[in-house]
Amino acid sequence: MEILFSALLAYLIGSIPTAFLIGKSLYGFDIRKQGTGNMGASNMVAVKGWKIGILTGAIDFMKGLGTILIIKGVSPHWTYQMLFIAASFAAIGHMYPVFLRFKGGKGTATLAGGLIGLDYQVALICMVILLAFIAITDYAAPGIIAVSSVMIFLFRIFGYRWGISLLLIPIAVIMIARNLENIQRILLGEEPGLRAHIRKKKRAPQKGA
């Protein structure tokens, strides 16, 4: 019963549509109708710039980390099964939010927060892998696929039983599948890279100019 409660709580927290709420409350637009239509921090960076994009990503990150901390705080008998399942369902909630007809973002920041809550050492290695791929390729999607492919093995290396580590298989598969769309656009030359976003913001005219 506690595992089901943890999964439901994590899903509902993950379903909080950060980018949608920020777009609507601060700027009066629907992020799903702007840029790539993705409801996440990367699209918010493209639409409104780095400051709002980082804020969006930070809140999405806290959905994952906060879920783990809440479960540890309210459940005196928490188990790693509960935490690993919760980390997955927080990310799934972000990708398929019940509040927005199950159409959400990629779940990267929320899963990152969950990984930090599970084991900061594994999370830091995943972050290094992701940043290395971004530096080399100029895109996040290849790094996200790489991290999703190896994180289960990293947890096993750091002493977690296979029975625990393998609980991340569903979210790993979903993350890979969701980012294969980006890989296809990259190969077709339809996906702007990180440097392109930076140059775009630098060229943007200043107010009053």
Side-chain angles (χ1 to χ4, degrees):
M1 183 62 70
E2 285 187 325
I3 290 179
L4 292 176
F5 170 77
S6 299
L8 178 59
L9 175 65
Y11 174 75
L12 291 176
I13 293 174
S15 289
I16 298 172
T18 308
F20 176 81
L21 293 176
I22 289 177
K24 279 290 187 179
S25 61
L26 297 183
Y27 302 103
F29 67 78
D30 187 339
I31 189 64
R32 297 171 298 177
K33 299 178 181 178
Q34 301 286 330
T36 63
N38 180 50
M39 200 181 67
S42 59
N43 192 31
M44 190 63 85
V45 168
V47 174
K48 296 304 296 183
W50 285 100
K51 292 181 180 179
I52 298 301
I54 290 174
L55 173 64
T56 303
I59 297 175
D60 285 340
F61 176 88
M62 286 306 302
K63 292 194 299 185
L65 176 58
T67 295
I68 302 299
L69 296 178
I70 289 172
I71 291 174
K72 285 184 175 181
V74 303
S75 178
H77 305 294
W78 62 266
T79 64
Y80 280 106
Q81 287 94 333
M82 292 168 58
L83 299 184
F84 273 66
I85 289 173
S88 296
F89 271 85
I92 290 172
H94 180 86
M95 290 186 279
Y96 307 101
V98 65
F99 306 120
L100 289 178
R101 299 182 180 180
F102 308 104
K103 295 181 179 180
K106 297 290 185 181
T108 307
T110 303
L111 180 58
L115 292 180
I116 284 283
L118 295 178
D119 191 304
Y120 76 93
Q121 298 175 97
V122 172
L124 288 176
I125 293 174
C126 289
M127 182 63 68
V128 170
I129 294 173
L130 176 60
L131 292 176
F133 269 86
I134 291 176
I136 294 170
T137 69
D138 196 31
Y139 296 98
I144 295 171
I145 291 175
V147 168
S148 300
S149 301
V150 304
M151 64 182 179
I152 295 169
F153 301 100
L154 289 175
F155 276 104
R156 183 68 185 94
I157 291 172
F158 277 85
Y160 295 84
R161 294 186 291 108
W162 277 118
I164 300 296
S165 302
L166 293 177
L167 291 173
L168 293 176
I169 284 182
I171 189 61
V173 171
I174 295 172
M175 293 290 290
I176 292 171
R178 291 290 295 267
N179 282 277
L180 285 177
E181 303 170 3
N182 297 77
I183 296 297
Q184 184 178 12
R185 289 198 294 270
I186 291 171
L187 295 175
L188 293 174
E190 300 173 352
E191 182 88 351
L194 178 62
R195 297 183 186 93
H197 284 307
I198 294 174
R199 288 195 295 269
K200 179 181 178 182
K201 294 305 175 184
K202 286 183 177 180
R203 290 198 302 266
Q206 299 297 317
K207 292 182 178 179

